[in-house]
Amino acid sequence: MARWKALPEELDPQIGEFTRQLRQLVDQGGLSVAALADRTGYSRTSWERYLNGRLLAPKGAVVALAEVTGTNPVHVITMWELAERAWSRAEMRHDRTMEQIRITRARAELGDFGGGTGTTTVDAPPMTPPPAAPPAGKRRVLLFLAGAVAVLVVLGTVFLLTGRDGGKGTPEAAKSPSPSATGAAGLPPGVKCVGIGCAGKDAEAMGCSGDLVTTARTATVGAATLEVRYSRTCGAAWGRITGAAPGDRVRVTADGETRRGEAVAGETYTYTPMVAVGGAGEAEACVTLASGRTGCTK
């Protein structure tokens, strides 16, 4: 029975080649996935995703794999950089596809709301003559009905926002719903926050990591790899350090907001709580090593 599962057919060729090289390094090192997790500081579940093409391994994991297998990391990092570009392109295609799906659904709902009388019938032949305009009296009736529906929609929205208690709740609750409550609507399954609702929270616990995260910036400080991790879906970023030593500290900053995370004795990596960002370039991560050496992402 083959040790490795077949890679997904839809996987980008560049990512597939990179994943096969990772598998080859693991095989040459005679490592099980459990041993690999124990020696690199990345969980067994993460390595299973990396080696099966379901998630791109972060740079820190690649460097750690090279170290435990005695491999020169230069070539592996070069392949990782090519694979990360391909992964980013695939994410952009996915985002555009999801956006088009949302637009299509919105148009369909608008068409249903208008009773099929809207302008969504774009497939008619170019030479089809336009329908005859309704009489003036009928137009007035239609306009009146449309206005009535709009009023009902506004009233319904106000009712939902102010609650069913006749508006007796506190003004703050009516005007400013919590970010986590408003942000979770329409997000992928498992994602529990977005934007400011993610600030100060754990990325893994809130479902912002895994397939939803990319490395926005990276730097090497001593033996440690420093990264800014970014989730476009959650609108948040956080700092992470791999190859860490006990006492190493990492922090992330965005628009003056700073969160700090500290490596735990015996662990080789740690990451900070999240900060809300409008884009990947807004966050900066810095590290202070136990030796006193400091550095930041560029």
Side-chain angles (χ1 to χ4, degrees):
M1 180 177 177
R3 179 182 183 184
W4 304 111
K5 297 179 180 179
L7 295 175
E9 294 182 359
E10 66 276 11
L11 196 65
D12 185 279
Q14 193 74 58
I15 302 172
E17 176 62 23
F18 173 69
T19 304
R20 284 187 285 271
Q21 288 202 6
L22 293 185
R23 290 179 171 183
Q24 185 176 359
L25 288 178
V26 175
D27 289 338
Q28 290 175 351
L31 298 169
S32 65
V33 177
L36 184 61
D38 182 63
R39 297 181 63 180
T40 62
Y42 289 79
S43 69
R44 177 171 181 170
T45 300
S46 295
W47 275 113
E48 288 175 346
R49 291 176 178 174
Y50 304 155
L51 296 170
N52 286 313
R54 290 184 288 148
L55 183 64
L56 181 67
K59 185 178 180 180
V62 173
V63 173
L65 175 60
E67 290 177 354
V68 300
T69 57
T71 304
N72 188 329
V74 174
H75 175 67
V76 182
I77 291 175
T78 299
M79 294 296 297
W80 172 84
E81 290 174 346
L82 296 173
E84 186 180 41
R85 294 192 191 103
W87 190 277
S88 297
R89 290 193 299 269
E91 286 185 333
M92 291 177 64
R93 290 194 297 269
H94 174 75
D95 290 343
R96 287 195 296 268
T97 300
M98 294 303 296
E99 182 179 5
Q100 186 59 47
I101 291 174
R102 289 193 293 268
I103 292 173
T104 301
R105 288 177 177 172
R107 286 175 175 170
E109 290 175 1
L110 287 173
D112 292 340
F113 179 78
T117 61
T119 59
T120 57
T121 55
V122 298
D123 295 329
M127 298 303 295
T128 301
K138 188 174 182 179
R139 284 201 302 270
R140 285 194 294 271
V141 173
L142 292 175
L143 289 173
F144 172 78
L145 291 175
V149 170
V151 171
L152 290 175
V153 170
V154 172
L155 291 176
T157 303
V158 172
F159 177 75
L160 290 174
L161 291 176
T162 56
R164 299 175 179 270
D165 58 354
K168 297 180 181 179
T170 61
E172 291 80 4
K175 294 180 181 178
S176 303
S178 65
S180 59
T182 59
L187 293 175
V191 177
K192 303 175 184 178
C193 70
V194 66
I196 193 65
C198 295
K201 297 180 180 178
D202 185 282
E204 292 188 4
M206 302 308 292
C208 296
S209 58
D211 297 339
L212 302 178
V213 66
T214 59
T215 298
R217 296 179 178 178
T218 184
T220 301
V221 183
T225 299
L226 177 65
E227 300 169 283
V228 172
R229 304 288 282 167
Y230 170 65
S231 173
R232 181 177 179 181
T233 300
C234 292
W238 58 97
R240 184 176 73 176
I241 183 174
T242 54
D248 290 351
R249 300 190 306 276
V250 58
R251 65 183 184 276
V252 64
T253 306
D255 294 332
E257 180 184 11
T258 301
R259 302 294 182 197
R260 297 177 185 269
E262 193 166 307
V264 180
E267 292 189 358
T268 59
Y269 79 102
T270 189
Y271 58 93
T272 71
M274 293 184 285
V275 292
V277 294
E282 293 185 9
E284 179 184 51
C286 295
V287 65
T288 302
L289 302 182
S291 62
R293 186 173 180 178
T294 62
C296 297
T297 55
K298 297 180 180 179

